[in-house]
């Protein structure tokens, strides 16, 4: 039997995108690719992420089985995060996306600039 079309909510690809399409999710996974890290270390590796967004992202990744949270009962408690084996399976795909971005993002930027230049002229003539 054929997999449902991508426009159907039951499509596995669509469900996977729900997990990894958030930029913070990908960045947190990258921050954990070298092993276990404490919250502050993760936060310092990701520019512009708020404490609230990092906490929310880590909870979602833990919920989805991609990250494990370990609390060491000391004062104050030491909390560490690590990718699970399932979470590590995403690394090759995220690396490919990073490579694509390095190779092609200049072209995307040029296309955006051309688009805005063309549409700015059109917007000015319609205004």
């Amino acid at each position: 039997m054929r997999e449902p079309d991508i426009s159907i909510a039951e499509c596995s690809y669509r469900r996977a995108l729900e997990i990894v399409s958030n930029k913070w999710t990908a960045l947190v996974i990258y921050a954990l690719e070298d092993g276990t890290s404490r919250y502050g270390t993760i936060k310092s590796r990701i520019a512009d992420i708020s404490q609230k967004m990092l906490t929310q992202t880590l909870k979602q990744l833990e919920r989805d089985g991609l990250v494990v949270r370990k609390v060491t009962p000391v004062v104050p408690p030491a909390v560490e995060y690590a990718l699970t084996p399932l979470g590590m399976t995403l690394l090759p795909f995220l690396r490919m996306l990073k490579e694509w971005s390095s190779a092609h993002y200049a072209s995307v930027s040029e296309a955006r600039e051309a688009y805005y230049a063309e549409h700015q002229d059109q917007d000015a003539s319609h205004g």
Side-chain angles (χ1 to χ4, degrees):
M1 185 169 170
R2 189 173 171 183
E3 172 106 9
D5 187 76
I6 58 173
S7 64
I8 299 172
E10 293 82 26
C11 172
S12 59
Y13 182 68
R14 188 175 184 163
R15 285 183 259 150
L17 284 176
E18 288 176 12
I19 296 167
V20 298
S21 64
N22 178 303
K23 73 176 177 181
W24 301 120
T25 298
L27 293 173
V28 168
I29 290 171
Y30 263 121
L32 291 170
E33 79 175 317
D34 293 329
T36 302
S37 291
R38 294 187 71 169
Y39 184 95
T41 304
I42 298 167
K43 186 164 182 349
S44 68
R45 290 200 59 203
I46 305 172
D48 302 331
I49 192 167
S50 68
Q51 184 173 338
K52 178 182 176 184
M53 188 53 62
L54 178 56
T55 299
Q56 181 180 330
T57 302
L58 285 165
K59 283 182 181 180
Q60 289 171 347
L61 290 170
E62 185 180 8
R63 175 202 68 198
D64 292 341
L66 302 174
V67 166
V68 64
R69 179 179 184 262
K70 180 183 173 191
V71 179
T72 304
V74 294
V75 179
V79 181
E80 296 179 322
Y81 297 89
L83 292 175
T84 64
L86 179 62
M88 288 190 284
T89 65
L90 287 170
L91 287 172
F93 302 102
L94 293 175
R95 285 184 190 123
M96 283 191 295
L97 185 58
K98 186 177 180 183
E99 289 171 16
W100 180 89
S101 179
S102 294
H104 301 288
Y105 200 77
S107 297
V108 171
S109 292
E110 290 171 11
R112 285 181 178 176
E113 288 176 25
Y115 176 89
Y116 290 132
E118 178 181 328
H119 287 82
Q120 183 179 15
D121 293 342
Q122 289 177 0
D123 290 344
S125 67
H126 288 81

